[in-house]
Amino acid sequence: MSKPNLQIYLAAPRGFCAGVDRAIKIVEMALQKWGAPVYVRHEIVHNKFVVDGLRDKGAVFVEELSDCPDDRPVIFSAHGVAKVVPAEAERREMIYVDATCPLVSKVHIEAERHSDAGLQIIMIGHAGHPETIGTMGQLPEGEVLLVETVEDVATLKVREESKLAFVTQTTLSVDDTIDIVAALNARFPTIVGPHKEDICYATTNRQMAVKAMAAQCDAMLVVGAPNSSNSKRLVEVGTKAGCNYSQLVQRAKDIDWRALEGISSLGITAGASAPEVLVNEVIDAFRDKYDVAVEVVETAVERVNFKVPRVLRDVEIPG
């Protein structure tokens, strides 16, 4: 029996960004340098497959620094941490490596610079997300106020309207953030913004690729984790850009086949912490059921590379 035809549009760029790639390398290189176990505070990146793979190599994932022994190295996740975390590690004389994405670190520096200039900071971000907690934790309580929506801007209580600056979480929806920034500028005309948008190049590029292919797709799958902010934003972007059905899947086994019945075109992308092996797994699952043709929709070429911390630069990863 012949299989139905399916046109797959494959977004490019997709999957790992430079910050995620660097964070994973940091864990692997720390294991090479110090042996197992190496402790990691929070998931190094938001992807179960990646975390499980590193756990198999000897990484131990914990929620807090208090869960780590003093005599083993600890790594801080790519999302960044509040200042109290490395301060506590130093107090305990622990070996620690900070795997915070350099683009997140840039936001931390920005917030501190504005604060030093006497400005109160407004952060556009998602409450409870590790990156938001880490950025807000760079300054004393009350110095950073969080807004999640345009509506939040209207009810914001600030110390002095003429002395404000804003920063943003790096993994937000580009379009939604534009609306919140416009609301901030309308209410606080003298507010100071970043010289360049805080939303990272990888988040922007992945969203642009989804927009480019969404209208020609009957459905779209985003390979990523349910706790991955940038992956969830890709689902939202796909829907807003004209794809009637967008679904987040961690693995091929999570595909809701009934919801995809009757489709003839499918868009596939992956969040910045999802490895390419999982994208291939999803495509192979469709090859089992359909006669698949794949077309790559490329909207940008990424050549960004971030160095690992100096303490690990003498380590070679085998293979």
Side-chain angles (χ1 to χ4, degrees), residues 9-267:
Y9 296 102
L10 187 59
R14 63 183 175 276
F16 279 1
C17 62
V20 164
D21 197 45
R22 172 181 179 268
I24 294 166
K25 271 186 197 157
I26 285 171
V27 179
E28 291 174 339
M29 292 169 88
L31 285 163
Q32 280 290 113
K33 178 162 185 159
W34 292 298
V38 164
Y39 285 75
V40 185
R41 185 185 178 277
H42 291 172
E43 291 186 344
I44 187 70
V45 296
H46 282 155
N47 189 275
K48 185 179 185 300
F49 182 85
V50 171
V51 168
D52 287 349
L54 292 171
R55 189 181 283 117
D56 289 345
K57 292 177 182 178
V60 178
F61 292 88
V62 297
E63 283 306 301
E64 298 300 339
L65 207 59
S66 56
D67 301 323
C68 303
D70 293 346
D71 61 349
R72 293 305 303 163
V74 62
I75 296 166
F76 305 145
S77 84
H79 306 103
V81 293
K83 271 193 169 174
V84 294
V85 178
E88 173 63 10
E90 284 176 14
R91 188 193 68 77
R92 290 171 57 186
E93 299 183 347
M94 301 173 77
I95 295 171
Y96 70 88
V97 185
D98 189 353
T100 300
C101 172
L103 297 178
V104 175
S105 296
K106 172 181 157 290
V107 178
H108 291 183
I109 293 163
E110 222 167 64
E112 282 197 274
R113 182 171 55 82
H114 289 316
S115 183
D116 289 344
L119 305 181
Q120 189 178 23
I121 314 300
I122 296 169
M123 179 169 188
I124 305 169
H126 292 298
H129 189 278
E131 185 186 330
T132 301
I133 293 166
T135 299
M136 294 181 74
Q138 299 306 301
L139 295 169
E141 198 166 333
E143 290 303 308
V144 186
L145 306 175
L146 182 66
V147 296
E148 297 187 83
T149 64
V150 169
E151 291 71 31
D152 289 344
V153 175
T155 58
L156 205 55
K157 291 184 173 65
V158 300
R159 195 165 50 228
E160 197 174 338
E161 292 196 358
S162 63
K163 291 188 174 179
L164 296 172
F166 74 87
V167 296
T168 68
Q169 185 180 326
T170 63
T171 54
L172 300 178
S173 159
V174 176
D175 295 336
D176 289 351
T177 307
I178 287 170
D179 293 340
I180 298 171
V181 170
L184 285 170
N185 283 318
R187 186 174 168 199
F188 310 113
T190 61
I191 195 168
V192 179
H195 295 305
K196 187 175 179 295
E197 185 55 69
D198 286 337
I199 294 175
C200 87
Y201 77 94
T203 299
T204 303
N205 288 348
R206 279 148 192 71
Q207 290 179 18
M208 291 300 292
V210 164
K211 286 180 185 178
M213 66 187 193
Q216 56 195 333
C217 300
D218 296 332
M220 186 173 296
L221 296 186
V222 177
V223 181
N227 59 340
S228 164
S229 174
N230 77 85
S231 299
K232 290 195 287 188
R233 300 295 81 76
L234 289 172
V235 175
E236 295 167 2
V237 168
T239 303
K240 284 183 181 175
C243 182
N244 292 328
Y245 179 82
S246 295
Q247 179 188 343
L248 183 69
V249 294
Q250 292 199 78
R251 303 288 302 266
K253 63 182 175 57
D254 303 316
I255 297 168
D256 183 353
W257 294 105
R258 288 183 65 184
L260 300 174
E261 279 177 11
I263 65 166
S264 59
S265 60
L266 174 74

